[in-house]
Amino acid sequence: MLKYFKEIEFEAGTDEAGRGCLAGPVTAAAVILPISFADESLNDSKKLSPSTRNKLRPIIEVSAICYGVAHIETDIIDTINILNASILAMHKAINKLSKVPDFLIVDGNRFKPINDIPYKCIVKGDSKFQSIAAASILAKTYRDAHMEKIHEEFPMYNWKQNKGYGTEEHRQAIIDYGITKYHRKSFKLLPHQLKLNL
């Protein structure tokens, strides 16, 4: 896994988690890692077990030059759409960094400029660059913890297990119990959905 896209001291990687979920926020993280950082288990968060992600989170937090994490809640997702909400989450995470990045590497192929910082979008960047992988792990673990917290409010949807994704169990719970304030009303929540009764 590569350390930098450019040989720049304060290069930040950024990524999001939860873009395809039916409920809960979209969460993004931005991370600046030192050149000395090395951990063989670091990878795209989707390729790691929950236990490995949770083990890596404090290592990343302690080792990083700085990091930021931000949630964008469902009301904003429904207002500005999930792509714009994902980019907004990344912007908010970047703005939480204690060092202003000299360069940004962004997972995926869509982004909007922020604070005149040059950037590069990299498809599958979370499996290519350490800082994006680290951001993917922070975004995923922070979002999972958030979903486990709101699960206590609405346990019938089993968000502690499915994390808001559209599993068969989650969709059946929507049929049985309706939707909550955490569901994304702009999403197709049920198969063959024509109209959601709100």
Side-chain angles (χ1 to χ4, degrees), residues 70-82:
H71 300 295
I72 299 297
E73 299 294 345
T74 49
D75 57 336
I76 299 176
I77 293 171
D78 287 335
T79 301
I80 66 173
N81 79 42
I82 188 59

Side-chain angles (χ1 to χ4, degrees), residues 10-71:
F10 296 135
E11 180 176 280
T14 186
D15 196 7
E16 52 74 27
R19 187 166 168 174
C21 294
L22 304 184
V26 62
T27 303
V31 181
I32 299 177
L33 291 174
I35 189 70
S36 60
F37 183 84
D39 192 302
E40 289 184 359
S41 58
L42 187 69
N43 203 339
D44 168 9
S45 64
K46 295 184 290 298
K47 297 178 180 177
L48 302 175
S49 67
S51 62
T52 301
R53 288 195 296 262
N54 288 326
K55 182 181 132 193
L56 279 167
R57 173 175 157 177
I59 293 171
I60 293 165
E61 291 175 339
V62 169
S63 303
I65 293 171
C66 56
Y67 68 91
V69 181
H71 300 295

Side-chain angles (χ1 to χ4, degrees), residues 12-16 26-30 67-72 80 83-97 99 101 104 106 110-117 119 121:
T14 186
D15 196 7
E16 52 74 27
V26 62
T27 303
Y67 68 91
V69 181
H71 300 295
I72 299 297
I80 66 173
L83 172 62
N84 288 322
S86 298
I87 293 170
L88 178 60
M90 288 190 275
H91 282 190
K92 286 183 174 289
I94 292 161
N95 281 331
K96 288 185 176 182
L97 295 171
K99 299 280 187 184
L104 299 170
V106 182
R110 301 287 293 278
F111 193 64
K112 295 178 182 177
I114 176 173
N115 302 336
D116 295 321
I117 303 169
Y119 68 89
C121 291

Side-chain angles (χ1 to χ4, degrees), residues 113-195:
I114 176 173
N115 302 336
D116 295 321
I117 303 169
Y119 68 89
K120 174 71 174 177
C121 291
I122 301 168
V123 175
K124 300 189 188 303
D126 46 8
S127 62
K128 297 173 183 174
F129 291 92
Q130 284 193 118
S131 60
I132 302 180
S136 78
I137 289 164
L138 292 191
K140 176 65 174 162
T141 54
Y142 273 81
R143 187 181 186 281
D144 284 358
H146 181 84
M147 295 307 296
E148 288 163 17
K149 183 178 177 184
I150 64 174
H151 165 88
E152 302 302 323
E153 195 176 346
F154 295 101
M156 64 283 280
Y157 300 95
N158 200 19
W159 290 332
K160 71 178 179 182
Q161 184 67 37
N162 61 53
K163 304 301 189 285
Y165 283 93
T167 62
E168 186 176 342
E169 176 191 37
H170 187 184
R171 291 184 191 274
Q172 186 59 50
I174 293 171
I175 293 170
D176 294 341
Y177 302 104
I179 63 171
T180 69
K181 61 186 177 182
Y182 298 115
H183 281 99
R184 301 176 184 177
K185 299 177 184 66
S186 58
F187 277 45
K188 184 178 178 181
L189 299 177
L190 296 173
H192 314 299
Q193 176 181 313
L194 296 177
K195 186 176 179 183

